[in-house]
């Protein structure tokens, strides 16, 4: 029998504490701009730097999937000028950032009902996804015209269609099958949901996926969100005990068994 060194074991456990999938509700752009006497749209443009910082850190620490809530299905109700700026910004960022993402082995995926966007933007999205499709270091998901209820209804419709076409039976439908049909079906389970800006709600974001996610709320407005703040959220996640319906004692026993199995290799 061979014992694994304490150093290797410590490193393995540290890696275990990094969330596989993090989602962020990027809130506070408008308030950040207003505090500086600027138009709300100024805050949205400033928020792009926070996106870059988040993507950089996620790749650096080994997060597999990062999902950013960029534009909700309810955001169409905002002032027409603000919506227009957001669409222009989305198009501009796609053009300027996709090559960098590809160079850094980052896959881009847009989740949401993109059929509501103009044809040119839809084409840019598809080209960006195709260019980065084989990248492995990180999957960056941009939720655009996305809503959690829409996601659930869309998955339900697609499953119902398969039942109608006799590709599935009613008995085939379970949580695992449903999970395969939501927009994040090919991604790891959501571990950590971060919301900036001080509000404590999920705002119709990843409703199905949030079932056992850990939540982290910060008063920091999105343009001020940087690697330091992101690291605080990850550190907070690392010290939480995730029970998934079990008792704390059961989890501790499982961890003890896992430690014993990891320390000895036959």
């Amino acid at each position: 029998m061979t014992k694994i060194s304490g150093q290797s074991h410590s490193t393995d456990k540290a890696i275990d504490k990094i969330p596989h999938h993090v989602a962020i509700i990027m809130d506070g752009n408008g308030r950040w701009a207003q505090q500086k006497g600027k138009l709300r749209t100024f805050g949205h443009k400033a928020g792009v730097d926070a996106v870059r910082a988040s993507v950089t850190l996620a790749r650096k620490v080994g997060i597999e999937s990062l999902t950013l809530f960029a534009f909700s299905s309810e955001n169409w109700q905002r002032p027409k000028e603000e919506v227009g700026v957001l669409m222009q910004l989305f198009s501009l960022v796609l053009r300027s950032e996709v090559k960098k993402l590809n160079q850094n082995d980052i896959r881009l995926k847009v989740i949401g009902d993109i059929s509501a966007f103009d044809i040119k933007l839809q084409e840019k999205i598809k080209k960006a996804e195709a260019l980065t499709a084989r990248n492995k270091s990180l999957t960056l998901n941009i939720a655009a015209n996305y809503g959690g209820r829409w996601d659930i209804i869309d998955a339900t419709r697609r499953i119902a269609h398969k039942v109608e076409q006799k590709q599935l039976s009613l008995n085939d439908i379970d949580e695992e099958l449903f999970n395969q049909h939501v927009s994040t079906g090919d991604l790891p389970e959501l571990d950590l949901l971060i919301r900036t800006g001080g509000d404590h709600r999920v705002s119709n974001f990843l409703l199905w996926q949030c079932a056992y996610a850990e939540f982290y709320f910060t008063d920091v407005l999105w343009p001020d969100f940087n690697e330091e703040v992101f690291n605080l959220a990850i550190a907070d996640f690392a010290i939480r005990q995730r029970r998934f319906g079990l008792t704390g004692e059961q989890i501790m026993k499982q961890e003890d068994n896992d430690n014993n199995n990891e320390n000895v290799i036959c």
Side-chain angles (χ1 to χ4, degrees):
M1 294 187 180
T2 306
K3 288 189 177 182
I4 299 176
S5 72
Q7 185 177 0
S8 297
H9 174 68
S10 176
T11 302
D12 290 342
K13 296 309 290 180
I15 292 172
D16 287 345
K17 293 298 185 179
I18 297 294
H20 298 287
H21 185 178
V22 177
I24 307 178
I25 300 174
M26 306 180 293
D27 195 19
N29 287 336
R31 281 172 286 156
W32 182 88
Q34 289 169 345
Q35 288 176 7
K36 297 180 180 303
K38 304 284 188 178
L39 296 174
R40 289 176 54 84
T41 52
F42 181 78
H44 294 307
K45 293 174 182 177
V48 174
D49 288 336
V51 171
R52 292 192 187 102
S54 299
V55 172
T56 299
L57 181 67
R59 188 181 184 283
K60 185 190 301 181
V61 303
I63 291 169
E64 296 174 35
S65 184
L66 177 66
T67 302
L68 303 178
F69 203 7
F71 189 82
S72 78
S73 49
E74 290 80 23
N75 285 158
W76 293 108
Q77 303 172 58
R78 291 191 173 188
K80 193 173 182 178
E81 180 185 354
E82 183 174 347
V83 171
V85 169
L86 285 168
M87 292 299 105
Q88 291 173 8
L89 187 60
F90 188 19
S91 180
L92 179 64
V93 169
L94 277 174
R95 187 169 69 241
S96 64
E97 300 295 323
V98 169
K99 287 184 179 179
K100 297 176 187 176
L101 294 177
N102 193 44
Q103 289 168 0
N104 285 282
D105 195 37
I106 297 172
R107 172 192 173 204
L108 178 69
K109 178 178 179 180
V110 177
I111 61 173
D113 182 9
I114 69 168
S115 66
F117 300 142
D118 66 55
I119 297 300
K120 287 185 178 179
L121 182 53
Q122 290 183 47
E123 289 174 354
K124 285 183 179 180
I125 290 170
K126 291 174 183 177
K127 287 180 180 178
E129 290 181 325
L131 177 66
T132 62
R134 296 183 180 181
N135 295 339
K136 304 291 185 182
S137 294
L138 171 71
T139 297
L140 172 62
N141 312 289
I142 302 297
N145 194 28
Y146 175 90
R149 290 178 176 177
W150 166 85
D151 201 358
I152 292 169
I153 291 170
D154 183 65
T156 302
R157 285 176 176 159
R158 290 192 288 117
I159 292 171
H161 178 72
K162 289 182 179 179
V163 172
E164 188 178 53
Q165 297 297 313
K166 301 190 184 305
Q167 298 172 12
L168 291 172
S169 72
L170 290 176
N171 291 332
D172 292 326
I173 302 173
D174 55 16
E175 286 189 18
E176 182 178 354
L177 179 78
F178 196 89
N179 195 55
Q180 292 169 5
H181 285 78
V182 294
S183 59
T184 57
D186 63 335
L187 305 174
E189 291 283 343
L190 181 62
D191 292 314
L192 174 62
L193 175 67
I194 301 169
R195 180 170 186 145
T196 65
D199 287 330
H200 294 189
R201 54 177 177 267
V202 297
S203 296
N204 193 25
F205 185 44
L206 299 178
L207 298 181
W208 171 267
Q209 296 87 339
C210 276
Y212 274 102
E214 297 294 322
F215 288 16
Y216 183 87
F217 300 103
T218 174
D219 291 334
V220 173
L221 302 177
W222 178 247
D224 291 327
F225 190 86
N226 54 29
E227 290 194 10
E228 181 180 358
V229 182
F230 200 169
N231 269 319
L232 287 174
I234 295 171
D236 184 80
F237 171 85
I239 63 173
R240 297 190 189 184
Q241 184 186 65
R242 306 186 73 198
R243 294 193 290 274
F244 300 98
L246 301 179
T247 66
E249 289 76 12
Q250 287 175 301
I251 295 298
M252 290 177 67
K253 187 174 181 180
Q254 284 184 357
E255 290 177 348
D256 287 342
N257 290 336
D258 289 342
N259 288 339
N260 290 334
N261 291 334
E262 289 175 5
N263 282 334
V264 178
I265 297 178
C266 295

